[in-house]
Amino acid sequence: MILNYISMLKDEFKGYNLAKLAKDLMAGLTVAAVAIPLALAFGVSSGATAAAGLITAIVAGILISTLSGAYYQISGPTGAMAAVLMGVIAQYGLKGVFIATLIAGIILLLAGIFKLGVLTTFIPAPVITGFTSGISIIIAFGQLDNFFGTHSTGGSLIEKIGSYSSLGFQPKLATTLMAVLVVIALFIFPKKWNKVVPASLIAIIVTTAITMVFKLDVATVGKIPTSVISGDRLQLGSLDLQTVKNLIVPGASIALLGMIESLLCGASAGRMTGKALDSNQELIAQGIGNMILPFFGGIPATAAIARTSVAIKSGAQTRLTGIFHALALLVSMLLLAPIMAQIPLAALAGVLVVTSWRMNEWSAIKYLFKNKFKSALILFFLTLVSTVIFDLSTAIMMGVMVGIVIFVAKSSILDVVVEDVDLSKVETAQEGLKADWAVVYITGPLFFMSADRLDKALQPLHERDLVIFSLRGVPSIDNTAMAVIQDFYQDAQKKNHEVIFSSVQPNVMKMFERSGFEETAGKDAFYFSVDRVLKEIL
């Protein structure tokens, strides 16, 4: 892996010059402009602090970009990860997030070392779309307090919303108005301008200036540290075995989400650039980054599709783009910390509401509804609801399990067509010859769920003089279905009837051989096609 990484770097920096360096620098500054409001917002939405989000973007930008599986990957705090952290912080506090992040980093590192990146390919696309939409709901509704200036309690989204019945819901005019105006501004901001200066950054600058000039009574971000190492961070001495045990499951959820987001981001970016992501190297980078982040006071990081696409469109040449973006964030934090502290939480809430809306895969959702894919819609809504009510791991497990059940149910559909042999249409048949023969055309896998269907279809054929099985459409067979065919064959033998098999697929033939049925029936019972059978026996 080390040699592979070195080889990757050599290819990436081959022919590197000042022109490419300038492109990396400009792309990094552009990504930083996009990342500043998102880092602050995702830090707040996770239940941590804006400072934690900023530190995460800086450390991840330097460390993960350096080790990444592709030059274009830009990592940092994301909305999906923030949604997962809300429950962890509510139950275990910020210390719990640090420990869960460390656990997630270890899991990701091991996944990369043992080349387990392929596991994400087993998650159905509707499940990914569903949990993405579920996360967007959690993010949006999780910002109700910051959006309206209200107060709620509870560890989950449902508990927080339910607490309004006892605590009351009394929006503050200034806070609500500011958040609404930010949402409107982000939606109407011209796309061509957004390519030059991110609308979210402008919205935050303007609202911060208004807050400072008019001294509005709105909640703000609060103190921003002037050091990349936060005073509130993980220390090895604070680790205890019981807390670590309690946080294994949340840590696994964070690792799973980090794996999915990073590899999906890499797949999307790879199509944009024509350069494939080294998925296992990416998991190693994400693992090392998330293991180190808690010791700086950061929250979990993963590759971010929005920032990565901005890097590519801005002309990124190498992984230095990610490093330059992180350094730009660091300089901003050191120079503008007092101003950042005055950023209104309502403005960040507005940015997050718009972000949550846009993170939905609307084209994929529209496609499912337009084409009325019932199975896919079931998986989509099941995962969405499970994500909101339970958690990410439960949602994905339920989605995958139900997806498997639906696949098995569909696979059990067996098509059995029985046709009588019309000897008058067979050229080699003697004129006037009559026989009670039938051909059984089978399409679909023969296994325990379709064995009963096969048995019922064969019942009327027990008295036929000759039965020809056409198995061209059968890709596989298991012991249960094999037993049905063997029973039918043995019954035919007792009645001096003949059974012949044609067009047997290789996998099915192997099962015939392993079960001993090929030897029992004899090689003369197997033919290339139905036509060959009729020509040779007549």
Side-chain angles (χ1 to χ4, degrees):
M1 283 187 175
I2 294 174
L3 293 176
N4 181 61
Y5 173 68
I6 293 173
S7 176
M8 186 192 307
L9 290 181
K10 286 181 179 179
D11 291 339
E12 187 176 317
F13 285 93
K14 186 177 181 180
Y16 198 72
N17 52 36
L18 287 176
K20 290 186 176 182
L21 177 63
K23 288 182 178 180
D24 277 336
L25 180 59
M26 291 307 299
L29 294 175
T30 303
V31 176
V34 174
I36 288 175
L38 293 179
L40 295 170
F42 292 144
V44 171
S45 66
S46 68
T49 61
L54 196 57
I55 289 172
T56 302
I58 293 169
V59 177
I62 295 174
L63 192 57
I64 299 180
S65 291
T66 301
L67 300 173
S68 179
Y71 75 89
Y72 43 72
Q73 293 279 83
I74 306 294
S75 295
T78 62
M81 196 64 77
V84 174
L85 297 181
M86 289 171 60
V88 179
I89 284 186
Q91 188 170 358
Y92 299 101
L94 198 52
K95 176 186 173 183
V97 170
F98 294 151
I99 296 174
T101 304
L102 176 62
I103 293 171
I106 294 171
I107 294 173
L108 285 168
L109 177 60
L110 293 175
I113 292 173
F114 290 104
K115 301 181 179 180
L116 300 181
V118 69
L119 292 177
T120 57
T121 61
F122 293 102
I123 302 176
V127 171
I128 294 175
T129 303
F131 86 68
T132 301
S133 294
I135 285 171
S136 73
I137 292 173
I138 293 175
I139 292 173
F141 282 87
Q143 288 303 303
L144 287 177
D145 285 347
N146 290 336
F147 197 97
F148 294 103
T150 54
H151 175 68
S152 63
T153 59
S156 66
L157 176 62
I158 295 175
E159 289 175 352
K160 285 179 177 291
I161 295 176
S163 69
Y164 289 127
S165 60
S166 58
L167 297 175
F169 187 79
Q170 298 176 335
K172 293 180 179 179
L173 181 60
T175 301
T176 305
L177 185 60
M178 181 176 290
V180 170
L181 289 175
V182 168
V183 171
I184 294 173
L186 294 184
F187 274 117
I188 66 173
F189 195 79
K191 290 184 178 180
K192 60 181 181 180
W193 294 359
N194 198 57
K195 293 179 180 179
V196 180
V197 182
S200 56
L201 182 62
I202 293 177
I204 287 178
I205 291 173
V206 172
T207 53
T208 302
I210 292 173
T211 301
M212 295 175 69
V213 171
F214 294 99
K215 301 188 184 303
L216 297 180
D217 183 20
V218 295
T220 58
V221 164
K223 184 179 179 181
I224 297 290
T226 53
S227 170
V228 76
I229 301 177
S230 173
D232 196 359
R233 63 184 186 276
L234 179 65
Q235 299 186 28
L236 289 176
S238 65
L239 292 173
D240 63 272
L241 186 59
Q242 187 58 47
T243 304
V244 171
K245 286 182 178 179
N246 293 338
L247 288 165
I248 288 177
V249 173
S253 295
I254 293 171
L256 178 60
L257 179 57
M259 184 185 297
I260 293 171
E261 278 213 284
S262 296
L263 298 188
L264 285 180
C265 175
S268 176
R271 288 191 293 270
M272 293 173 65
T273 61
K275 300 272 188 182
L277 173 76
D278 185 329
S279 58
N280 294 312
Q281 178 61 39
E282 180 66 22
L283 292 181
I284 290 174
Q286 295 292 337
I288 293 174
N290 281 286
M291 287 172 63
I292 293 175
L293 270 168
F295 297 100
F296 284 84
I299 56 178
T302 182
I305 294 177
R307 277 157 273 179
T308 297
S309 63
V310 169
I312 294 170
K313 293 174 183 177
S314 300
Q317 299 293 304
T318 68
R319 62 194 63 231
L320 287 179
T321 293
I323 296 173
F324 286 146
H325 122 272
L327 294 176
L329 293 177
L330 176 60
V331 172
S332 298
M333 183 180 75
L334 296 177
L335 298 180
L336 304 175
I339 297 175
M340 286 185 178
Q342 299 300 315
I343 295 175
L345 292 179
L348 294 180
V351 170
L352 285 168
V353 167
V354 175
T355 300
S356 64
W357 172 265
R358 289 175 175 169
M359 72 184 291
N360 282 280
E361 298 174 13
W362 293 115
S363 59
I365 295 171
K366 182 180 179 181
Y367 177 73
L368 296 181
F369 277 95
K370 181 180 179 180
N371 294 282
K372 299 178 181 178
F373 293 127
K374 295 180 181 178
S375 300
L377 287 171
I378 290 172
L379 292 180
F380 169 74
F381 281 112
L382 173 67
T383 310
L384 186 156
V385 173
S386 300
T387 301
V388 175
I389 296 178
F390 303 112
D391 56 57
L392 176 70
S393 297
T394 303
I396 291 180
M397 287 177 61
M398 290 178 66
V400 171
M401 289 174 64
V402 172
I404 291 172
V405 170
I406 291 174
F407 173 77
V408 171
K410 285 184 175 181
S411 299
S412 67
I413 297 174
L414 190 70
D415 186 30
V416 182
V417 178
V418 178
E419 292 184 1
D420 294 330
V421 177
D422 186 355
L423 295 178
S424 64
K425 296 181 179 179
V426 181
E427 294 179 0
T428 57
Q430 298 177 10
E431 187 174 348
L433 179 65
K434 293 184 179 180
D436 190 14
W437 295 355
V439 180
V440 182
Y441 295 95
I442 303 175
T443 304
L446 288 172
F447 66 122
F448 64 93
M449 288 190 70
S450 59
D452 185 60
R453 166 85 173 89
L454 175 65
D455 188 43
K456 289 179 179 178
L458 296 179
Q459 288 304 317
L461 303 178
H462 280 278
E463 302 305 321
R464 296 294 184 106
D465 296 331
L466 170 65
V467 174
I468 305 171
F469 284 89
S470 177
L471 304 180
R472 188 181 303 278
V474 179
S476 60
I477 185 171
D478 74 349
N479 290 326
T480 306
M482 190 76 239
V484 172
I485 289 178
Q486 287 176 320
D487 290 343
F488 181 83
Y489 178 82
Q490 291 169 3
D491 183 70
Q493 290 290 297
K494 291 176 183 178
K495 297 176 181 179
N496 292 319
H497 296 164
E498 195 169 359
V499 178
I500 291 177
F501 301 89
S502 70
S503 308
V504 183
Q505 296 290 337
N507 286 338
V508 177
M509 198 65 198
K510 285 182 181 178
M511 191 62 182
F512 280 4
E513 294 170 359
R514 292 175 62 188
S515 65
F517 181 68
E518 182 199 28
E519 185 178 349
T520 301
K523 292 186 177 180
D524 293 339
F526 297 90
Y527 286 78
F528 178 74
S529 66
V530 174
D531 288 341
R532 184 74 60 83
V533 173
L534 296 176
K535 286 179 181 179
E536 293 191 14
I537 67 175
L538 290 174

